[in-house]
Amino acid sequence: MGSENVSKGQLWTGRVLSGLVVLFLLFDGVLKFFLDKMPPEAQAEGAKLGYPPEVMPYLGTVLIVSTLLYAFPRTAVLGATLLTGYLGGAVATHVRVLNPLGSHILFPIYLGIILWAGLYLRFPKLREITPLQK
């Protein structure tokens, strides 16, 4: 999936969107390794999600690996697919603990939209198989 037939504007907009998603998700993934060293308020927020602290590094590993797959063009679609599943789990978790809709439940959906928009703008082959028509 090369970047042939993509305008410079589309390519750079896609790169910026994808880059923002990668930075945010890598940061989030790394933080999952250090929850026990965070202030009590942050630990309480993490505990509210209902996951035992010893599980968080595993979630961080899955997130980091999936994000790195997304970051490289050859594996970007695989990474996006894995991240879509991960973000779906985040939505389900926030629904389960009754977090606010706009700030918590919908945030992973917003992130998923940005994630796929970045790919859509960078890869013309992806445009051929998406259901969006002119």
Side-chain angles (χ1 to χ4, degrees), residues 6-29:
V6 176
S7 75
K8 279 189 176 187
Q10 288 176 324
L11 181 62
W12 279 101
T13 302
R15 286 177 177 169
V16 168
L17 291 174
S18 294
L20 290 172
V21 168
V22 166
L23 289 174
F24 177 80
L25 292 177
L26 286 177
F27 178 73
D28 188 36

Side-chain angles (χ1 to χ4, degrees), residues 13-123:
T13 302
R15 286 177 177 169
V16 168
L17 291 174
S18 294
L20 290 172
V21 168
V22 166
L23 289 174
F24 177 80
L25 292 177
L26 286 177
F27 178 73
D28 188 36
V30 169
L31 279 182
K32 292 186 183 338
F33 286 90
F34 300 104
L35 279 179
D36 58 335
K37 293 168 182 49
M38 294 201 170
E41 308 84 44
Q43 289 180 20
E45 188 66 29
K48 214 167 47 167
L49 296 178
Y51 294 112
E54 58 271 8
V55 170
M56 298 312 280
Y58 296 112
L59 290 175
T61 301
V62 168
L63 182 55
I64 291 169
V65 169
S66 299
T67 302
L68 289 175
L69 287 169
Y70 174 73
F72 294 100
R74 293 182 65 98
T75 56
V77 174
L78 173 61
T81 304
L82 294 171
L83 287 171
T84 301
Y86 184 91
L87 294 171
V91 170
T93 297
H94 288 297
V95 168
R96 183 178 51 80
V97 297
L98 302 174
N99 274 332
L101 178 68
S103 62
H104 288 70
I105 294 172
L106 293 179
F107 185 77
I109 295 172
Y110 304 147
L111 207 54
I113 290 169
I114 296 168
L115 176 147
W116 281 100
L119 277 186
Y120 184 84
L121 290 171
R122 293 183 323 176
F123 298 120

